[in-house]
Amino acid sequence: MKRSHIIAIVIIAVAIAALLGSLWDSSSYADLNEAFAEPGKEFHVVGMLDRSEPVVYEPSVNASLTEFGISDLKGRKCRVKLAMAKPNDLDRSERVVLIGQIAEDGTFHAKNMLLKCP
């Protein structure tokens, strides 16, 4: 085999490995029912801020913890512990996308959040 063929095969193998690695680590969009069915697995949950529950952010106690309630698009409600400071536009958001997993205590532990503002 020519040297250029061997280099091309190695490049293709690296590309396939990178693609498989990214698919293995990817999470999927789900509602709260699916997330509760598989605790510990990471999901992207789309929902709306539950305005009947308070948003708790106390930077003097823990500056990287925000707690609030959401309801998913099917109406199921859940308490969320977000591992970051309270986003500025959280109260004005139309929808939120939470990236995280259900914990054993029944709360959604989110490591990141995307806001969908009007």
Side-chain angles (χ1 to χ4, degrees), residues 28-35 43-49 68 70-78 80 94-100 108 112-116:
S28 57
Y29 280 91
D31 59 18
L32 286 173
N33 288 330
E34 293 176 45
F43 288 100
H44 287 78
V45 175
V46 180
M48 295 169 284
L49 182 66
F68 55 94
I70 64 159
S71 66
D72 67 4
L73 301 178
K74 293 185 178 179
R76 183 164 182 175
K77 295 183 179 187
C78 179
V80 176
E94 186 176 295
R95 287 191 181 170
V96 296
V97 177
L98 298 168
I99 302 166
F108 191 88
N112 203 355
M113 179 172 65
L114 306 169
L115 297 175
K116 307 288 183 180

Side-chain angles (χ1 to χ4, degrees), residues 81-93:
K81 291 185 178 181
L82 176 65
M84 58 190 293
K86 179 184 172 189
N88 292 335
D89 295 332
L90 179 62
D91 297 325
R92 295 185 301 190
S93 65

Side-chain angles (χ1 to χ4, degrees), residues 7-78:
I7 292 172
I9 290 172
V10 168
I11 290 173
I12 290 171
V14 168
I16 289 172
L19 178 65
L20 290 176
S22 68
L23 290 175
W24 181 264
D25 190 36
S26 66
S27 58
S28 57
Y29 280 91
D31 59 18
L32 286 173
N33 288 330
E34 293 176 45
F36 273 101
E38 296 185 56
K41 183 178 178 187
E42 184 172 282
F43 288 100
H44 287 78
V45 175
V46 180
M48 295 169 284
L49 182 66
D50 184 2
R51 300 193 193 285
S52 66
E53 291 192 35
V55 175
V56 178
Y57 175 61
E58 298 174 351
S60 61
V61 176
N62 188 349
S64 61
L65 179 66
T66 306
E67 294 187 42
F68 55 94
I70 64 159
S71 66
D72 67 4
L73 301 178
K74 293 185 178 179
R76 183 164 182 175
K77 295 183 179 187
C78 179

